[in-house]
Amino acid sequence: MQATRPERGSARSRRCFQVLPAIAFAALLLVPGCGGSGGSPAGTQAGQGPKVTVMARSVPGVGQVLVTSTGYTLYLFQPDGRQTVTCTGVCAGTWPPLMLPSGGVAVAGPGVKSSLLGSDPDPAGGRVVTYDGWPLYTYVGDIQPRQATGQGIDLNGGAWYVLRPSGAPLIPAP
Amino acid sequence: MTAPEPRGPRRVGRRAVLLGGGGLAASVAGAGTATRALTRPSAAAPDPSGVIPPDDDLMREHGVLKRVLLCYREMIGRVQAGGPLPAEDLHDAALIIHDYIEGFHEGLEEGYVFPRLRAAGLLTSTVTTLLVQHARGRVITQFLLARATPAGVASADARAQLAAAMQAFDRMYEPHEAREDTVVFPAFRQIVPAAELADLGQHFAELERQQFGTDEFTAMVARVAGIEQALGIYDLSQFTPQVSQYSPQA
């Protein structure tokens, strides 16, 4: 049995933003879970609004890395360059970004430094949770928690890596 | 073997295709148009806008995938017969998979089709398997791309490894795409109202244009046809069997 994956809701919100300009109301029907996300800035006081928790956990094959509150591995996209969300459109179908809900706040779970959490605007709308400047994404190929099947994959225009709690990407030696 | 058709494909570099260049893309544009017309289900009313329904779009992309699988099969056969493995053809074929199938087509499925089916509680186990297979396929493609160099195919062991990887890829994707075409996409079409399908078809077209420019499908067909020709498998008639031994008079 698979664990529930609430972050998928965030991905759906992103889908709405991508689709809305093109097909407006139809997208609301097409994509379940569509809802407004006003792009709340990072740094909202803890305790206010919905929370998105990032935590550290040991994942087989890659060790201690950042994961969602439900244990799904988080990745960085190298072309983002620690400063901007570049995985949009079709890319975000494969790598759903970890969205910050409207008025929400990113919370540091066990093993994670709250000082490294933040958010970046998503060109498709809303904000994406960042860690040490890196926008965070999940991978649809990870069908259950504690998998990192996207580690080291070169896809959608660049490489994808898991992150250590220090914020360092796990880049394999050549 | 018959001579190539007068307007058959010639090899087109990826760069030329992505830049929208090359007379080839233009020369096969008519064929692309014909394909669009033929792949539209007869039950669906023709869309005057010319926008292809999303499931039709995904199925014709499967046609490109299928042709790359045939290229892989040809190269597997050559390795198994003790022959050389053309590194450039392998690289070009794997690159189509990487850029077009894994980097685009599968993203559409993962972002638009599978979530909708899951939300409707349909084919959830199948969708999970398809997602796992996408992920495994990407690993294999990365393996192929990294080794599709003259040095990478130099030894018999290396060629055998590459052939095994291609075989695993073919073995997985043949039933994968068949299941999507016959079960997954029809289910998707059933749960999405016609107006939404039309809007989504338009959105898919816009995403294609953003990523590849105009006529991306035609360009991909031209690229895979060029690889087929280099491998000597472009001429369709060569696959027509002799049937005298099966005839009632035999």
Side-chain angles (χ1 to χ4, degrees):
Chain A
M1 191 70 183
Q2 291 177 39
T4 55
R5 199 170 180 176
E7 287 74 16
R8 285 289 183 238
S10 300
R12 288 188 190 114
S13 297
R14 177 185 178 83
R15 293 252 67 80
C16 300
F17 285 108
Q18 292 170 332
V19 174
L20 273 171
I23 59 174
F25 178 67
L28 293 171
L29 302 174
L30 185 69
V31 185
C34 264
S37 178
S40 170
T44 306
Q45 291 297 310
Q48 296 178 349
K51 296 179 176 65
V52 176
T53 302
V54 175
M55 52 197 274
R57 191 170 177 185
S58 182
V59 173
V62 292
Q64 198 78 0
V65 295
L66 300 188
V67 299
T68 67
S69 59
T70 49
Y72 284 89
T73 299
L74 290 162
Y75 298 85
L76 67 82
F77 186 37
Q78 211 165 30
D80 285 351
R82 288 183 71 194
Q83 55 185 354
T84 183
V85 177
T86 64
C87 175
T88 59
V90 173
C91 175
T94 301
W95 307 91
L98 184 62
M99 298 301 292
L100 197 61
S102 178
V105 59
V107 174
V112 165
K113 298 176 184 173
S114 60
S115 61
L116 296 182
L117 282 170
S119 69
D120 271 346
D122 184 344
R127 298 188 73 87
V128 178
V129 177
T130 62
Y131 195 75
D132 197 22
W134 288 106
L136 300 175
Y137 306 85
T138 54
Y139 179 45
V140 295
D142 293 337
I143 57 151
Q144 52 190 359
R146 301 189 73 230
Q147 291 186 325
T149 63
Q151 164 62 10
I153 290 288
D154 178 351
L155 191 67
N156 301 111
W160 297 85
Y161 299 111
V162 296
L163 294 94
R164 296 291 187 212
S166 66
L170 177 59
I171 301 177
Chain B
M1 186 170 144
T2 57
E5 294 170 28
R7 298 182 66 187
R10 61 179 169 80
R11 196 61 164 271
V12 175
R14 175 171 177 261
R15 180 175 166 77
V17 169
L18 292 180
L19 290 173
L24 176 57
S27 75
V28 295
T33 307
T35 306
R36 288 172 189 233
L38 290 171
T39 53
R40 187 183 299 281
S42 56
D47 183 345
S49 71
V51 172
I52 301 170
D55 47 340
D56 286 7
D57 204 15
L58 294 167
M59 280 194 270
R60 70 179 192 155
E61 289 163 8
H62 276 173
V64 173
L65 168 61
K66 196 168 297 181
R67 288 177 71 167
V68 174
L69 298 184
L70 290 170
C71 292
Y72 281 176
R73 183 177 295 170
E74 170 65 20
M75 290 186 272
I76 293 165
R78 292 183 184 193
V79 171
Q80 289 175 341
L85 179 58
E88 186 188 359
D89 297 328
L90 173 57
H91 189 270
D92 288 355
L95 200 57
I96 291 174
I97 295 292
H98 178 266
D99 293 351
Y100 188 58
I101 299 300
E102 295 171 347
F104 180 71
H105 168 86
E106 291 178 357
L108 294 177
E109 293 177 343
E110 292 165 348
Y112 296 89
V113 177
F114 297 166
R116 186 65 190 253
L117 289 169
R118 277 181 155 167
L122 291 174
L123 303 172
T124 51
S125 170
T126 300
V127 165
T128 297
T129 301
L130 297 172
L131 286 169
V132 170
Q133 292 186 339
H134 285 178
R136 300 280 168 88
R138 289 163 184 154
V139 173
I140 293 176
T141 297
Q142 195 146 316
F143 177 86
L144 295 173
L145 282 172
R147 289 160 179 79
T149 63
V153 302
S155 75
D157 280 352
R159 290 193 295 275
Q161 276 192 355
L162 288 163
M166 285 188 281
Q167 204 155 29
F169 194 90
D170 276 17
R171 180 75 184 87
M172 179 177 76
Y173 267 109
E174 284 168 353
H176 178 107
E177 67 173 339
R179 191 66 61 95
E180 287 182 337
D181 288 350
T182 58
V183 177
V184 174
F185 297 159
F188 176 71
R189 178 177 273 258
Q190 273 197 328
I191 60 172
V192 179
E196 289 181 47
L197 277 175
D199 288 340
L200 194 57
Q202 200 145 18
H203 186 59
F204 278 18
E206 175 59 19
L207 289 170
E208 288 171 2
R209 190 195 60 74
Q210 287 171 9
Q211 190 154 336
F212 298 106
T214 55
D215 277 339
E216 48 73 37
F217 177 73
T218 302
M220 290 301 158
V221 170
R223 280 175 64 181
V224 76
I227 300 167
E228 289 172 342
Q229 192 164 57
L231 292 171
I233 58 170
Y234 175 72
D235 177 14
L236 198 58
S237 68
Q238 70 185 289
F239 300 108
T240 310
Q242 297 299 322
V243 295
S244 55
Q245 68 270 37
Y246 308 124
S247 72
Q249 287 78 33

